[in-house]
Amino acid sequence: YGPHVFHHADMKHNMHGSMGPIGVQRFLPWHRVYLFKLEQMLQVFDPEIFIPYWDWSVDRSIPYWLQNFTPTVIVDGLPRTVTRAPGVHSNPRSRLPLPQDVITVGGETNYTAFTRALEGGIPVTKYQTAMHNGVHMWVGGIMSDIMYSPTDVLFWLHHANCDRLWSIWQKNHVNQNPNLTGTDAIMDPWSYNEQDTRDTTNFGYVYT
């Protein structure tokens, strides 16, 4: 698990909007592959297992079955312990999104606008919450660390929900895809091309 967490700490993968225009485009497809690779690892132990999603717009607290699960994980040779501080961050945009926030983000009509809104609530003049980023900061602790947030298993439930919202949006916006070419379109450190990520059935799952 630690080496898989460390992929997220390796910023050369350019998978966040804060890293620039290419990171904006790569955010959703890269994390879809990242989720899938963990699911594959888990299915070695149980072929029926899958990563559930946490719909934070409805379920307004950390899932009860994870609240006391705060392991220590060895990442890049160092022990990293899961800590949380839900709801104490001072930034007013660092909160759990509401159903109306989800509807507003889903109303974006092109991919770049949608992914920017879903990841960071951009433009800030339009969105009251930072959406993906806001949930990370609301949880606090290691989830607020952009590099090591996957140490907390809550990361995967959060990102599965972001992936679900993208999947819903894709069905309503056919042919609206990331603008990536060449090596930018390869979801390193894996060999998946951005085009491979456009349909969840390519990875053997759908959201219901």
Side-chain angles (χ1 to χ4, degrees):
Y1 185 61
H4 194 58
V5 171
F6 187 66
H7 289 314
H8 201 267
D10 188 348
M11 296 293 105
K12 73 172 181 288
H13 297 313
N14 199 5
M15 66 295 208
H16 293 100
S18 59
M19 299 171 183
I22 299 302
V24 170
Q25 301 297 316
R26 283 169 61 88
F27 171 68
L28 286 170
W30 191 92
H31 282 87
R32 178 167 284 178
V33 175
Y34 194 40
L35 284 162
F36 174 65
K37 298 306 288 186
L38 178 69
E39 199 164 77
Q40 282 187 314
M41 292 164 62
L42 294 171
Q43 288 171 350
V44 171
F45 299 94
D46 182 351
E48 300 299 317
I49 203 168
F50 59 88
I51 299 173
Y53 63 84
W54 171 32
D55 185 354
W56 19 251
S57 71
V58 176
D59 300 317
R60 309 292 293 169
S61 60
I62 293 172
Y64 73 91
W65 51 279
L66 286 179
Q67 289 177 2
N68 296 318
F69 186 62
T70 54
T72 296
V73 180
I74 304 300
V75 185
D76 195 27
L78 296 174
R80 302 192 182 273
T81 300
V82 173
T83 59
R84 304 185 185 117
V88 303
H89 199 276
S90 60
N91 188 331
R93 298 181 73 244
S94 299
R95 62 174 176 82
L96 296 182
L98 297 167
Q100 184 57 50
D101 298 315
V102 174
I103 292 171
T104 303
V105 169
E108 296 291 355
T109 57
N110 69 78
Y111 175 81
T112 298
F114 171 75
T115 191
R116 282 167 59 87
L118 180 59
E119 183 182 5
I122 298 170
V124 295
T125 54
K126 181 176 181 180
Y127 294 98
Q128 298 302 308
T129 178
M131 291 297 287
H132 157 269
N133 294 351
V135 174
H136 273 278
M137 299 305 294
W138 180 89
V139 174
I142 204 163
M143 270 283 279
S144 63
D145 184 329
I146 190 173
M147 295 178 66
Y148 297 105
S149 53
T151 306
D152 190 340
V153 295
L154 190 60
F155 170 97
W156 306 98
L157 280 67
H158 170 38
H159 271 271
N161 195 45
C162 293
D163 187 65
R164 180 182 70 94
L165 295 176
W166 181 30
S167 178
I168 293 170
W169 188 87
Q170 287 177 301
K171 293 175 183 177
N172 298 321
H173 300 84
V174 179
N175 298 323
Q176 282 289 331
N177 300 301
N179 181 20
L180 293 166
T181 59
T183 57
D184 291 333
I186 305 302
M187 302 296 108
D188 55 280
W190 310 285
S191 60
Y192 294 92
N193 191 285
E194 178 274 317
Q195 291 187 3
D196 301 327
T197 72
R198 295 179 183 178
D199 190 338
T200 61
T201 61
N202 292 338
F203 302 100
Y205 70 90
V206 294
Y207 291 101
T208 58

